[in-house]
Each structure stands twice: as C-alpha cells, then as structure tokens.
Amino acid sequence: MAEHILLPEGSIEKQTTTLNLGPTHPATHGVFQNILEMDGERILKSTSTVGYIHRAFEKIAERRPLYQITPLTDRMNYCSSPINNMGWHITCERLLGLTLPKRVDYLRVIIMELARISDHLICNSIVGVDSGAYTGFLYVMQYRELIYEIYEEICGSRLTTNIGRIGGFERNFTPKAFEKLEKFLKEYPGVLKEFENLFTRNRIFMDRTIGCGPISAERALNYGFTGPNLRAAGVDYDVRVHTPYSSYEDFDFIVPVGSTGDCYDRFLVRNEEMWQSLSIIEQAYQKVQEFKGAEAEVFHADAPAYYLPEKKDVYTKMEALIYHFKIVMGETAIPAGEIYSAVEGANGELGFYLISDGGRTPYRLHFRRPCFIYYQAFEELVKGGMLSDAIITMSSLNLIAGEMDA
Amino acid sequence: MALTNDIIQSRLTEKFGDQLTDWHQPYGMLTFTGPKELNLKVLQFLYDDDELKFRFLTDLQAVHYPDDKGKELAVVYHLHNLVDNVRIRFKVFTDVEKPDVFSATSLFSGANWMERETYDFFGVNFIGHPNLIRVLNVEEMDYFPMRKQYPLEEQTRVDKDDEMFGR
C-alpha cells in the first residue's frame, strides 16, 4: 500500500473515505449496496447490504397451491427464469412421485439450456461493458432476443416465463418454435465465435480481468460457491452430472473448469459452457426428432390429479371437470413429505427445500439461492483491490438482485 | 467403497451413541436429529472424519412447528460430500422462548449470511456469530415474520381503509 501523509493527531477528518456503491448505481446491475472504506483508490473494507427488493416469497408460498408458486420462481433469477420454473416443477414431481415421458425431459433440457445461454451471454457481455467494451453487449443482445422469441412461441411470455406445468408443458411445441430453434442453432455459433474474438485474447480485456477478484478452491467451497464461479476455481461440481434430473444423463457434455477463480477464468468457463449448452441443445433436438407417431405428440405426463386437463375435455368429461376445478381452486392435497431437490441454475445450485404436512400448500418452502450465498464472499474478494476491479468482480460473479433477495 | 447412508449412520452412532435420533431417509436423503448443544460437534465430526468428509454446507434454514412445545424451531443443515456425492440432512430443535444454537460460521464461512437470514425470519439466536443482524428485512422490524403466528393478511379484511386498493 502506498505511503501517505497522516492527518494531525486529534483531527476530526478520517484517514479514509467512505464511498457508497449502490443501491442504485449503474455498475451494480441490480439493487444492492456496498459501503466501501477507501484509501485513495484501494478498498480497505466493504460492507454489503442486500434486501432492497425482498418480496417474502417463502412466506407467500405457504399460502399458495403448488402451481401458483411457479410465477414466484420466475422472479428470482429473471435472466434465466425457465431454469427456476423447471427446477420447481421437478421438485414437485419428485415429491409427488411422477415420472415424465422422455420427450418432455428432452424438451425441458432444450429450454433450460437456452436459458443458460441467455444468462451467461448477459453476464459475460456485462463483464465486457464494465471493462470498457460496450460492443459485445449490444451485439449479443439481438441473439438473446432470438431465445426470448422461442420462449414466446412456447409459453407466450418472454422474461418472467412461467413456462411448463407440473407434469410437463402447457402445450406442445409448435412447428414455428422448432423453426426458431433451428434458426438460433444455425446463427448463434458464428455470433459466439465473434464474441469470443472480441474478448478472449483481447490484450486490454485480459489485463483488466486476469488476477482480478480471485478465489481459491478451498475458500470457494467454504463459502458455498456453486456453478460457474466454483468451476472457475477448479472444482468440477455440476448438479447436472452429480444428481442428474430431466434425463441429463442421456447427454454427452464436458464440465469446463478453470484454475485461478479470477474474473478471466469465470469468463472463460461461462463461454465454454455456452458451447456445451449449444451441443446439448443439438443433441436434445435430435432426440426429440426421433420420436415418431403418437410419441411425437407427448408433451405431458399422465397425472390427471395435478396436470390441468384440456379445455375441451372440461366441457365434455366429468372427471376432467372435477380435476380442473380442484386444481384451479388449489384443492389438491399434497402428500406429506420432505424433499430437497436441486437443479443447476445459470449461476449455481438452485435448491428447493419443500416440507409438506399433507395440506394443500407447502408447510415450509425454502429456496437455496446461489447468489445470496456466494455474494458474502465479495467483501473478501475485493479487499485490498482497486475500485474498478471491484466493479468487474461484481459483474463477473453474476449477481441477480431478484434472486438474492427472493 | 462408495459411501452409503448405512455407513454414515453407523459411523455417527459409533461416535455419538444414541444422542442422534430420528433416523429416516425421505426420498433417499439420510435425515437425523441431534441435541442442539451438540450441533457444532456433529458438524465438526462430519467435516473432519476421513470417511465422511461432509465439507460443503449446501443450505441452512429453520422451520417453525408451533405445536411442539419446547422444540418449536428446527434448524436444518443440508450437507454435501462432494467427493462421494452424498447429501445428508441434520436437524436440531430448540425452544422458541430461548432459541440459542451454536453458530457454524467458524466451520463454514458461507454460514454467515445463511444464519443471518435464519435469524432474520425465525429469530434463531446463533451464539458465536460475528455479526448477527437482519439481512433481508429492515433493521427496525421487531418480530420474526416467518414464524407461524404471523399469517399472511386475509384478502377479505374490512378493518383497513385503503381506497387505492379498493377495500
């Protein structure tokens, strides 16, 4: 640390400067605050405050039937809400003991991997923005748009998707959706390549990010890091491999790992994960196309007590009418049980801890939000570093305020 | 040899005897309960033991059971052995009048905010926590909102005069 002139004894001035980074600051990319004690440009101490957009999801969930909780999960990590939705559906299906047809699993994999790409795309391009390269961000935005159009074709909404239902999807994928998926698969590799060319071996970008905000594997594990941030530190933990869900065991992919856990490694791991996601989507699309005849029309499991029947059946069949009424009014009892189920969210292990006492709503529901848990390491990561490094570290951790505060 | 639930159970019973109770395996995850005075000892043993190696704290939260007198609050630890890929769930129960539980922050840095969150919503007092203050709610709040005595507001209540929201 640089030599500096000390203030005279008894001075009312402080030796250090207090700087408020956030809660509404363009560089925090979300509503959270960091109170920094600065010695010139260096950070001596940082104190994080979160909770500005806390919406009491866990409390609300205790009053809602299962299917009404899906829209709450949308609003956690809103950059990849389909993964949250699917994670919640999978938790419910495991609790209810439903097994899904393979085609539904593969369609879900397509959606989840698209969501992962859109999330990593935003995170990586924001790292670019914060290190002074705006081009990548604006350029990839239009390809995230393609992903959002696919969501729109499937479920009708774009950001907070509420996609899928317990037991499958709300409707089959239209030919238009597959057409858009094909377009994306055709165009996106070229764009990702170009995006990599802009950054990966860019001298300025490398100088800004290598050695910036590093964390060792031990510290990362101790802090409860998961997802790309943990893998960048060199631990190959991935829920998709360790506890496969939605038939991930049928796919062939690599779990990329870094070594130093700094911003550059996090960037590289995310980039490589996008390539892997693309390959998973291609495999899944191929598997979906292999279904012929009646099998090619399957888009939900046969679970009449939990899956909303088709509207035309509701008008003509008594059972369908009864189930429709019971599901919509939230009068379906959930079997008593206790389950922890996790999916690999775009920024880490997204877990759902659900306790049911046999009532119609969960007795207790806890969301394990990955970025809430790893954000506490931020104070340690930026200590002694420069202010501008802290900003890059923050964006490369992929912090989503909505998920942190739940 | 892969680590199975039976091995974990016998290792723990060997060490702690019958102090750990209520062994069951909902959906395949080994779940057990221990006395709250022992929580750190059990976590430390699970962490240090060469065979068990539960060194990753996945999640920590509480559950409120208002009808169980004397053990209303349950603090639930989800631990993960990343090498053998086994998860377990460990619970300690505490009285809601005196909800003191030892903090796991000395073992897991990640427990810091998880315990603050648990304190924030359930009022579990983690002894030895370096900075036990609210994390998501406002500091001025004087109750613990996730406890069951605070139900969500009834949508039909009439005692509130709020024209903007039509009631």
Side-chain angles (χ1 to χ4, degrees), chain A residues 95 222 242 338 363-364 368, chain B residues 27 58 62 64 85 109 148:
Chain A
L95 183 79
N222 205 255
H242 279 71
E338 182 176 14
Y363 184 79
R364 167 93 169 102
R368 184 208 191 266
Chain B
Y27 298 91
T58 304
H64 188 205
N85 189 27
S109 311
K148 291 284 177 185

Side-chain angles (χ1 to χ4, degrees), chain A residues 71-86:
Chain A
L72 299 179
T73 63
D74 283 343
R75 284 148 179 84
M76 289 201 295
N77 184 349
Y78 42 74
C79 285
S80 54
S81 30
I83 301 184
N84 307 353
N85 298 156
M86 298 304 173

Side-chain angles (χ1 to χ4, degrees), chain A residues 159-178:
Chain A
L159 188 74
T160 48
T161 47
N162 191 14
I163 200 168
R165 297 285 178 264
I166 294 166
F169 280 91
E170 58 270 51
R171 64 180 77 84
N172 200 356
F173 284 27
T174 56
K176 188 85 184 161
F178 286 123

Side-chain angles (χ1 to χ4, degrees), chain B residues 8-22:
Chain B
I8 302 167
Q9 180 166 353
S10 62
R11 281 292 288 165
L12 281 165
T13 325
E14 206 176 292
K15 171 84 182 165
F16 294 100
D18 50 7
Q19 284 178 298
L20 301 180
T21 51
D22 197 19

